[in-house]
């Protein structure tokens, strides 16, 4: 096969390694990770958000173990892999189908096992999924003389698809637990196994029978096993990135991390950007986070506190039917990422935040739509907010904030889920500002305290302090902004700085007084 350096195609939507290589597509070489995994261990698990290249990596492992040497010409594995040995591969993928339908999971699995058996010329007798899977592993090992490679893609989708029907979700979970336990029970027949999906169900709930599974999700060595790095854009995609503002590319799409030093791009975003040449929420628009938005509404988690959560490894793994921590849900689905790892000697914790503008802007728009409804009026307000921020129009900002708060449904105030009225209003305003694409920081820390909100947009900085009526009003808030130097950290940027003091009323459920000046 000739992989000469000619203009390559963008592999948009391609999850098959053979097709990608034979169609002369751009490929970011991940085979060094495959070699490391194969050389150092046997049973692995990896969680990554949707559209991050998990399926392609799994298919790369398949071709590697099956000995498809020609596909690896010029890649890291090409010269380092032992091509004299070929292993039978069982690949199970649960991407397709309606798993919220009772009994469908078994039907789907049996169809997949049928296909594997036909290709291998084997015929297993058992009718139960787990027993048939075990018999298949033994037959493939016996027939080939080599241990079997087991690859499972979208291992968790039969559960995630049925979360709205808890009884079916639990039944699917229990069925999968029995299936995955076969991998450990048949360890003598297994050379290598790799499971991947979006969520990290606790080992107790799903992997109790496969407790030798090594979870590499937050292993810094494998933080870039999926996704594109900055260097990948400079090398692999060098012929495609010309003419794009690289600062904007990073702002919009870079920033994902799973504990490593290097941050990565979502591949789907990059490929669509290179094809369309416009900055849009490409990844976000491929899937609706309805369940996530509903879950955030149920828990009352402050929206303005999402960009700055702190969580332990245990909390990020707390994911099971009926017990889904919102922090774990946000992280595992890709709406939050690791900003910093804490000191292991003090108990390993992770500081989480939005990875980039795409996610921050899109998620906050979805939160607002859930609260206030979507429509032309909401888009008109968003456009007006952009105009006001761009112009530094402080009078226009006051008028617009009044209109935005007046649009909050009456019943939402009654729930007041945001931890007190100041947090209540801070969350709503945070979401409005973030939905414009602005850089927003809640409880922005300086050397002498924390301002309630800071917004940087269009070459300007807006520093906010909020007070409830009867607690000193905007005069006290403005004095606090100045006395504690909340704006000092932004003075070196050479941007106009606007100090904004706002008083809210619990009775009128709007702002009562507004004071602003340019520092």
């Amino acid at each position: 096969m000739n992989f000469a350096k000619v203009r390559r195609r963008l592999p948009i939507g391609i999850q098959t390694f053979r097709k990608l290589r034979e169609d002369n597509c751009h490929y970011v070489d991940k085979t060094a990770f495959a070699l490391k995994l194969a050389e150092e261990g046997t049973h692995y698990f990896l969680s990554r958000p949707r559209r991050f290249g998990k399926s392609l990596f799994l298919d790369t492992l398949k071709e590697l173990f099956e000995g498809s040497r020609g596909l690896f010409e010029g890649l890291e594995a090409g010269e380092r892999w032992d091509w004299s040995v070929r292993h039978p591969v069982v690949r199970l993928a649960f991407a397709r189908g309606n798993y919220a339908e009772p009994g469908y999971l078994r039907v789907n699995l049996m169809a997949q096992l049928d296909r594997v058996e036909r290709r291998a010329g084997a015929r297993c007798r058992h009718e139960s999924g787990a027993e048939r899977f075990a018999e298949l592993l033994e037959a493939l090992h016996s027939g080939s003389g080599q241990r079997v490679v087991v690859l499972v893609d979208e291992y968790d989708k039969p559960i995630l698809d049925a979360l709205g029907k808890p009884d079916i979700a639990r039944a699917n979970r229990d069925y999968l637990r029995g299936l995955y336990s076969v991998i450990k029970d048949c360890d003598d027949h297994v050379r290598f196994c790799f499971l991947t999906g979006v969520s990290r169900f606790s080992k107790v709930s799903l992997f109790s029978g496969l407790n030798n599974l090594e979870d590499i999700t937050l292993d810094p060595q494998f933080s870039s096993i999926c996704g594109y790095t900055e260097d990948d854009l400079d090398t692999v995609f060098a012929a495609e990135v010309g003419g794009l503002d690289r600062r904007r590319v990073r702002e919009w799409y870079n920033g994902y991390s799973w504990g490593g030093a290097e941050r990565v791009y979502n591949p789907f975003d990059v490929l669509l950007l290179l094809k369309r040449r416009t900055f849009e929420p490409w990844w976000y628009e491929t899937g609706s986070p309805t369940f996530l938005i509903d879950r955030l509404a149920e828990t009352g988690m402050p929206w303005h506190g999402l960009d700055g959560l702190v969580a332990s490894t245990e909390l990020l793994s707390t994911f099971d039917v009926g017990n889904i921590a919102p922090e774990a849900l946000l992280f595992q689905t890709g709406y939050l990422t690791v900003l910093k790892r804490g000191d292991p000697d003090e108990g390993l914790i992770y500081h989480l935040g939005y990875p980039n503008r795409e996610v921050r802007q899109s998620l906050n728009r979805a939160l607002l739509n859930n609260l206030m409804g979507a429509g032309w009026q909401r888009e008109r307000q968003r456009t007006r907010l952009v105009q006001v921020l761009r112009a530094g129009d402080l009078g226009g900002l006051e008028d617009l904030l009044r209109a935005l708060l007046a649009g909050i449904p009456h019943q939402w105030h009654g729930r007041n889920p945001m931890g007190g009225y100041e947090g209540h209003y801070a969350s709503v305003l945070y979401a409005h500002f973030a939905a414009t694409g602005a850089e927003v920081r809640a409880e922005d820390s300086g050397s002498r305290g924390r301002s309630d909100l800071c917004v940087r947009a269009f070459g300007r900085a807006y520093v906010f302090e909020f007070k409830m009526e009867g607690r000193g009003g905007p005069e006290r808030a403005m004095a606090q902004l100045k006395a504690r130097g909340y704006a000092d950290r932004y003075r070196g940027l050479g941007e106009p700085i606007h100090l904004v003091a706002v008083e809210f009323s619990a009775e009128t459920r709007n702002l009562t007084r507004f004071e602003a000046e340019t520092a």
Side-chain angles (χ1 to χ4, degrees):
M1 188 176 299
N2 182 15
F3 293 118
K5 291 187 176 180
V6 296
R7 183 77 178 210
R8 297 185 184 274
R9 298 171 54 190
L10 294 170
I12 298 172
I14 298 178
Q15 302 179 56
T16 305
F17 183 70
R18 178 176 293 277
K19 181 177 180 181
L20 183 148
R21 297 292 282 167
E22 291 180 344
D23 287 0
N24 198 36
C25 295
H26 288 289
Y27 174 65
V28 174
D29 188 358
K30 301 291 187 180
T31 62
F33 290 112
L35 292 171
K36 183 176 179 64
L37 292 168
E39 291 167 358
E40 297 182 0
T42 303
H43 302 286
Y44 295 101
F45 168 74
L46 174 72
S47 166
R48 285 292 185 270
R50 58 188 170 81
R51 296 283 191 169
F52 248 92
K54 303 184 299 294
S55 297
L56 177 59
F57 184 75
L58 213 70
D59 201 63
T60 304
L61 289 169
K62 170 185 174 294
E63 297 290 355
L64 191 68
F65 279 104
E66 287 183 340
S68 304
R69 182 172 189 171
L71 300 178
F72 292 85
E73 181 182 328
L75 302 180
E76 184 76 15
E79 299 301 321
R80 293 176 50 193
W81 187 254
D82 183 1
W83 299 107
S84 66
V85 179
R86 297 189 175 193
H87 293 271
V89 175
V90 174
R91 180 176 180 181
L92 302 177
F94 295 104
R96 295 182 298 178
N98 179 17
Y99 297 102
E101 179 183 330
Y104 177 77
L105 174 56
R106 181 183 184 280
V107 172
N108 180 285
L109 174 65
M110 291 303 184
Q112 292 195 65
L113 294 178
D114 273 340
R115 289 192 290 271
V116 176
E117 291 171 8
R118 284 198 304 270
R119 287 195 298 267
R123 185 59 194 170
C124 301
R125 299 160 297 167
H126 294 285
E127 293 299 321
S128 77
E131 293 299 329
R132 187 175 176 184
F133 183 35
E135 186 179 1
L136 176 61
L137 294 178
E138 183 178 0
L140 292 176
H141 184 192
S142 175
S144 67
Q146 297 292 338
R147 290 188 172 91
V148 183
V149 171
V150 179
L151 306 174
V152 183
D153 197 12
E154 304 277 10
Y155 88 101
D156 51 349
K157 194 169 183 292
I159 308 171
L160 298 180
D161 281 4
L163 285 176
K165 299 178 179 179
D167 290 344
I168 297 175
R170 291 188 184 93
N172 288 350
R173 178 198 62 192
D174 295 343
Y175 189 88
L176 290 173
R177 180 195 293 138
L179 179 71
Y180 298 146
S181 67
V182 169
I183 299 172
K184 181 179 179 182
D185 293 342
C186 296
D187 191 55
D188 187 52
H189 303 300
V190 176
R191 160 65 180 87
F192 181 89
C193 86
F194 194 90
L195 286 78
T196 185
V198 170
S199 59
R200 300 171 69 209
F201 279 87
S202 66
K203 289 186 178 181
V204 173
S205 70
L206 188 57
F207 295 129
S208 57
L210 187 54
N211 54 15
N212 58 340
L213 199 63
E214 182 180 351
D215 186 349
I216 61 172
T217 299
L218 287 166
D219 187 333
Q221 300 177 89
F222 298 101
S223 62
S224 60
I225 192 171
C226 293
Y228 296 158
T229 67
E230 198 72 46
D231 184 62
D232 294 331
L233 267 64
D234 290 333
T235 54
V236 177
F237 298 102
E240 312 288 346
V241 297
L244 291 171
D245 182 340
R246 291 295 293 277
R247 180 193 61 80
R248 288 195 72 198
V249 176
R250 284 190 291 273
E251 175 194 354
W252 266 86
Y253 304 120
N254 198 10
Y256 293 95
S257 173
W258 285 269
E262 194 164 30
R263 300 192 172 274
V264 299
Y265 293 86
N266 179 296
F268 190 77
D269 273 328
V270 170
L271 296 176
L272 265 293
L273 172 67
L274 295 179
K275 179 181 180 180
R276 305 285 182 84
R277 317 299 288 186
T278 59
F279 292 87
E280 299 286 343
W282 303 115
W283 170 77
Y284 184 88
E285 291 178 352
T286 63
S288 172
T290 303
F291 178 79
L292 171 63
I293 300 301
D294 291 344
R295 180 64 177 154
L296 290 177
E298 289 170 7
T299 60
M301 177 174 282
W303 301 346
H304 66 286
L306 298 183
D307 195 13
L309 289 177
V310 176
S312 65
T313 304
E314 292 75 21
L315 183 60
L316 294 182
S317 301
T318 302
F319 200 102
D320 195 13
V321 181
N323 181 27
I324 304 175
E327 295 89 343
L329 183 61
L330 285 159
F331 171 67
Q332 294 177 23
T333 51
Y335 297 101
L336 294 182
T337 196
V338 175
L339 300 181
K340 184 176 66 173
R341 287 164 60 102
D343 187 345
D345 293 336
E346 298 175 1
L348 185 59
I349 60 172
Y350 295 90
H351 299 262
L352 307 178
Y354 293 121
N356 50 44
R357 174 174 173 170
E358 177 194 22
V359 175
R360 181 178 64 249
Q361 175 176 308
S362 300
L363 184 60
N364 280 280
R365 286 187 180 186
L367 289 167
L368 285 175
N369 289 343
N370 178 270
L371 169 64
M372 307 172 78
W376 66 269
Q377 186 177 7
R378 194 71 49 232
E379 292 302 320
R380 184 177 180 180
Q381 288 179 325
R382 188 173 298 129
T383 300
R384 177 59 182 153
L385 183 55
V386 168
Q387 294 170 344
V388 164
L389 293 174
R390 189 189 300 275
D393 180 0
L394 299 178
L397 180 61
E398 178 183 359
D399 293 340
L400 188 56
L401 293 186
R402 291 183 184 276
L404 294 175
L405 294 174
I408 300 175
H410 176 80
Q411 64 272 18
W412 194 78
H413 289 284
R415 294 201 307 267
N416 188 20
M418 301 302 181
Y421 274 106
E422 285 184 26
H424 171 84
Y425 292 117
S427 284
V428 175
L429 295 184
Y430 179 100
H432 277 293
F433 288 124
T436 68
E439 177 187 331
V440 190
R441 294 178 179 173
E443 299 183 344
D444 190 27
S445 297
S447 59
R448 287 178 285 172
R450 297 183 299 182
S451 62
D452 287 323
L453 204 66
C454 180
V455 179
R456 287 189 62 211
F458 312 109
R460 298 177 182 274
Y462 297 80
V463 184
F464 290 82
E465 187 66 24
F466 303 138
K467 297 294 180 186
M468 293 304 297
E469 192 174 29
R471 299 181 184 176
E475 299 86 359
R476 180 183 174 190
M478 183 61 73
Q480 185 173 325
L481 283 169
K482 294 177 179 179
R484 298 187 182 179
Y486 289 155
D488 290 350
R489 64 184 300 174
Y490 301 104
R491 297 189 187 282
L493 300 175
E495 300 176 346
I497 301 173
H498 308 290
L499 304 180
V500 184
V502 180
E503 179 186 71
F504 298 110
S505 168
E507 181 179 352
T508 65
R509 293 164 177 170
N510 208 313
L511 62 89
T512 53
R513 290 190 289 167
F514 179 98
E515 184 176 327
E517 61 181 70
T518 301

